[in-house]
């Protein structure tokens, strides 16, 4: 049973119930990283090729993400950053967000994520700049 006290916004539910969804998400992420760590994306035939790269020769923002995850799992941070630096920042941001979520769940407080429009636009601009720079001649250091 779940009840929410309107005054304190405190969720009164057992701790296992509050941690079930974060634990399930963590299990899924660990399984995905374990698979990518075990099956090398550098070997042809295991993963599909990026269609944008195949048909246009342009790197999308996700190009190199699997190689980055593979290197990250194996503890090779320089190789992970070289394959896709933005993906590594994404892994770390997701880990921080998950930790905040768990702390809120343990304390019985709901986590509300309501980013300001400026933050959303800034993240979109960062993604766009990353994509454009990695496809320009001087952005070769961002190629996977």
């Amino acid at each position: 049973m779940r009840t929410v006290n309107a005054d304190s916004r405190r969720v009164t539910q057992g701790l296992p119930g509050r941690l079930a969804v974060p634990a399930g998400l963590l299990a899924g992420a660990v399984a995905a990283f374990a698979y990518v760590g075990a099956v090398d994306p550098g070997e042809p035939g295991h993963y599909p090729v990026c269609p944008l790269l195949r048909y246009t020769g342009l790197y999308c923002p996700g190009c190199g993400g699997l190689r980055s995850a593979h290197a990250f799992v194996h503890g090779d941070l320089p190789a992970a950053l070289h394959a896709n630096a933005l993906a590594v920042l994404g892994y770390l941001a997701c880990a921080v967000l998950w930790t905040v979520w768990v702390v809120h769940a343990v304390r019985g407080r709901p986590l509300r994520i309501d980013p300001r429009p400026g933050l959303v636009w800034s993240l979109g601009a960062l993604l766009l700049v990353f994509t454009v720079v990695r496809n320009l001649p001087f952005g070769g250091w961002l190629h996977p």
Side-chain angles (χ1 to χ4, degrees):
M1 171 172 238
R2 177 180 185 206
T3 59
V4 177
N5 182 341
D7 294 331
S8 66
R9 297 287 304 156
R10 188 173 188 89
V11 177
T12 55
Q13 182 180 33
L15 184 60
R18 293 191 311 259
L19 292 178
V21 175
L25 185 67
L26 178 64
V30 166
F33 271 90
Y35 181 79
V36 172
V39 181
D40 187 2
E43 297 290 323
H46 293 293
Y47 300 98
V49 176
C50 173
L52 184 67
L53 181 62
R54 171 180 269 170
Y55 296 117
T56 67
L58 297 173
Y59 295 108
C60 77
C63 279
L66 288 174
R67 284 174 288 207
S68 174
H70 181 78
F72 192 82
V73 167
H74 290 279
D76 190 356
L77 190 57
L81 287 168
H82 181 271
N84 191 325
L86 206 54
V88 174
L89 291 175
Y91 309 149
L92 298 175
C94 286
V96 168
L97 184 60
W98 182 86
T99 303
V100 169
W101 184 16
V102 168
V103 168
H104 275 73
V106 167
R107 292 181 179 170
R109 306 232 182 253
L111 179 63
R112 181 180 163 98
I113 299 174
D114 190 18
R116 304 266 185 235
L119 176 63
V120 174
W121 282 99
S122 296
L123 291 175
L126 174 68
L127 192 66
L128 180 64
V129 168
F130 175 76
T131 303
V132 169
V133 169
R134 78 187 317 205
N135 285 294
L136 293 174
F138 64 85
W141 56 280
L142 289 174
H143 292 177

